[in-house]
Amino acid sequence: MENPIEFVHWLRSVAPYVHAFRGKTFVVAFPGELVAAGALPVLAHDLSLLHALGIKVVVVHGSRPQVAEQLALRNVEGRFHNGVRITDTAAMECAKEAAGELRLDIEAAFSQGLPNTPMAHAAIRIISANFVTARPLGVIDGVDLELTGVTRKVDGETIHSILGAGGLVLLSPLGFSPTGETFNLTMEDVAVTAAVTLHADKLIFITETAMMQDAGGAEIRELSSHQAEAVLQAGFLPADSAFYLQHAVKACNNGVPRAHIVPFAMDGSALLELFTHDGVGTMISHENLESLRQATIEDVGGIIKLIEPLEADGTLVKRGRELIEREIDLFSVIEHDGVIFGCAALYPFPEQKMAEMACLTVNPEVQAQGDGERILKHMENRARAIGISKLFVLTTRTAHWFLKRGFVAASVDALPPDRQRMYNWQRKSQVLIKTL
């Protein structure tokens, strides 16, 4: 290992995600193109790791290129209407053949257990059955789509029992009617219905499409469902990307908190998306992902983890857990997808209409993205709301940052009398004051 310190730092940095994801349900859907590209073994490794971390995983696979291959082998021409496959009897036989072959490939991928591989000692059981009930899509624009169908429901109760027993569940893009008919479905439709039915915490599409970009060519990392609908309305996305986004929005609008669209071209893209702050795909949520708010007692652990390194190197004055718990109402935090990445505290001195802002901290992993400035604005607004006219900070290392944001240097005598008596002359902190 070339850099063990960096490895330890990385491993510690993913701990908040591990805690947040344990016991949660993720629906992970991928197209047949991923299998055709030879990426199935790697994805099986990554999903096995999620399973080992206590995440309940439901896998949904697509089969479009495999169905096309079967049609070509039988010299049957595929028929489409507005991009939707018309599934006649011959096409249905091809769909069954493709789904069966893919199911066996996926089961084999999760059965790996060679030493010195990510699958060693995994012993994962992946279970598939007739979990999906479907109905015919019917006649559209005068065209009978025959055995092309749409998902009616997914057997959530049985799937939950399998997940609870430690298994993975595999869903194919085929559904069955109470009359015994089989219907050809889209992977995206099955995945959305499964995620909504299971009250999944995340729906993750591992896609053949490139990273989504806006009309100006900039990468789209995060969208609320309302913003995503506006992007779809604008019409600049490629058809495949728009199709995935349309289903991600549908999932979020029906109760799934987060949906991700992640290109599979990058090795380990699913893990990078889930365990890094910015990810490598596009995340859609029903509401905005980032929250800047007053802290609660549940945030104490996150605040301590955030400030401990700065206390250790002397940047911040040490605060014990009990002190933070007593003063938690004075803190504000900024969180992203449930993980705290920044904080600050406001100590008012009402008689002088002054307040001290202390403990302003942003996780080094996400600095230079404006979070510190947003916390400062938030604390200024909190101060104004209680009648404070001057905000001051005491700092030993970050004076330049505050000076660039309107603070001016001052003497200890400019502080409120009570704060003067508490001033630590050994630290010799610089006093900076800003008029609000």
Side-chain angles (χ1 to χ4, degrees), residues 38-84:
L40 178 59
V42 172
L43 181 62
H45 294 168
D46 294 347
L47 297 185
S48 298
L49 177 57
L50 298 185
H51 180 265
L53 294 174
I55 298 167
K56 300 173 182 178
V57 180
V58 175
V59 180
V60 185
H61 75 82
S63 60
R64 291 186 190 100
Q66 288 78 15
V67 172
E69 182 181 358
Q70 290 294 327
L71 286 167
L73 288 173
R74 301 182 187 205
N75 293 317
V76 177
E77 184 178 352
R79 295 185 295 142
F80 294 85
H81 175 69
N82 291 336
V84 179

Side-chain angles (χ1 to χ4, degrees), residues 331-409:
F331 278 81
S332 288
V333 295
I334 187 168
E335 67 175 359
H336 183 279
D337 203 15
V339 178
I340 293 173
F341 283 92
C343 69
L346 189 72
Y347 296 88
F349 296 87
E351 290 186 12
Q352 291 79 29
K353 293 189 176 181
M354 298 179 72
E356 178 182 5
M357 185 177 66
C359 204
L360 175 58
T361 309
V362 175
N363 189 316
E365 300 279 332
V366 296
Q367 285 179 0
Q369 297 185 19
D371 287 339
E373 191 146 5
R374 300 217 303 278
I375 295 173
L376 172 60
K377 299 284 187 187
H378 173 80
M379 302 309 279
E380 290 176 356
N381 290 334
R382 278 191 69 175
R384 290 189 187 96
I386 58 174
I388 300 299
S389 59
K390 288 187 177 181
L391 191 66
F392 68 88
V393 297
L394 277 68
T395 180
T396 57
R397 303 191 185 183
T398 56
H400 182 68
W401 189 88
F402 289 104
L403 290 170
K404 287 177 64 177
R405 285 154 181 85
F407 286 78
V408 296

Side-chain angles (χ1 to χ4, degrees), residues 316-331:
L316 295 177
V317 176
K318 290 193 175 183
R319 293 169 170 81
R321 175 180 282 271
E322 291 183 2
L323 178 61
I324 294 175
E325 288 179 353
R326 287 199 304 271
E327 297 180 343
I328 193 64
D329 290 341
L330 303 177
F331 278 81

Side-chain angles (χ1 to χ4, degrees), residues 109-156:
F110 279 97
S111 299
Q112 301 174 70
L114 291 175
N116 303 318
T117 72
M119 296 294 290
H121 312 299
I124 291 174
R125 298 293 173 260
I126 185 162
I127 297 166
S128 59
N130 56 336
F131 297 124
V132 180
T133 302
R135 63 172 176 81
L137 199 53
V139 178
I140 297 177
D141 301 326
V143 178
D144 186 357
L145 299 178
E146 302 187 37
L147 295 174
T148 298
V150 64
T151 308
R152 287 185 61 187
K153 65 178 181 179
V154 170
D155 186 356

Side-chain angles (χ1 to χ4, degrees), residues 175-368:
F176 310 96
S177 73
T179 58
E181 289 180 291
T182 304
F183 291 101
N184 185 26
L185 314 174
T186 67
M187 168 269 287
E188 295 83 355
D189 177 40
V190 175
V192 170
T193 305
V196 172
T197 301
L198 297 169
H199 305 289
D201 300 275
K202 287 183 182 290
L203 168 61
I204 305 163
F205 288 118
I206 313 294
T207 72
E208 76 282 16
T209 58
M211 178 75 180
M212 276 197 286
Q213 297 181 340
D214 63 20
E219 293 181 341
I220 302 176
R221 294 283 180 176
E222 296 175 2
L223 293 170
S224 69
S225 57
H226 298 300
Q227 291 171 328
E229 287 170 349
V231 167
L232 289 169
Q233 193 72 25
F236 57 78
L237 289 178
D240 289 347
S241 296
F243 194 65
Y244 282 118
L245 185 58
Q246 172 189 340
H247 284 83
V249 169
K250 182 179 179 181
C252 289
N253 286 344
N254 284 277
V256 179
R258 305 282 185 267
H260 303 251
I261 301 172
V262 187
F264 67 69
M266 181 182 293
D267 183 27
S269 58
L271 300 181
L272 290 167
E273 175 70 8
L274 293 171
F275 294 103
T276 61
H277 180 268
D278 291 327
V280 295
T282 302
M283 182 187 290
I284 299 93
S285 66
H286 186 60
E287 301 295 340
N288 288 329
L289 295 173
E290 198 159 81
S291 171
L292 179 52
R293 55 175 174 77
Q294 189 169 333
T296 67
I297 196 70
E298 287 79 14
D299 299 319
V300 170
I303 293 172
I304 290 173
K305 181 176 177 60
L306 197 60
I307 66 177
E308 273 182 342
L310 297 176
E311 292 176 341
D313 69 12
T315 301
L316 295 177
V317 176
K318 290 193 175 183
R319 293 169 170 81
R321 175 180 282 271
E322 291 183 2
L323 178 61
I324 294 175
E325 288 179 353
R326 287 199 304 271
E327 297 180 343
I328 193 64
D329 290 341
L330 303 177
F331 278 81
S332 288
V333 295
I334 187 168
E335 67 175 359
H336 183 279
D337 203 15
V339 178
I340 293 173
F341 283 92
C343 69
L346 189 72
Y347 296 88
F349 296 87
E351 290 186 12
Q352 291 79 29
K353 293 189 176 181
M354 298 179 72
E356 178 182 5
M357 185 177 66
C359 204
L360 175 58
T361 309
V362 175
N363 189 316
E365 300 279 332
V366 296
Q367 285 179 0

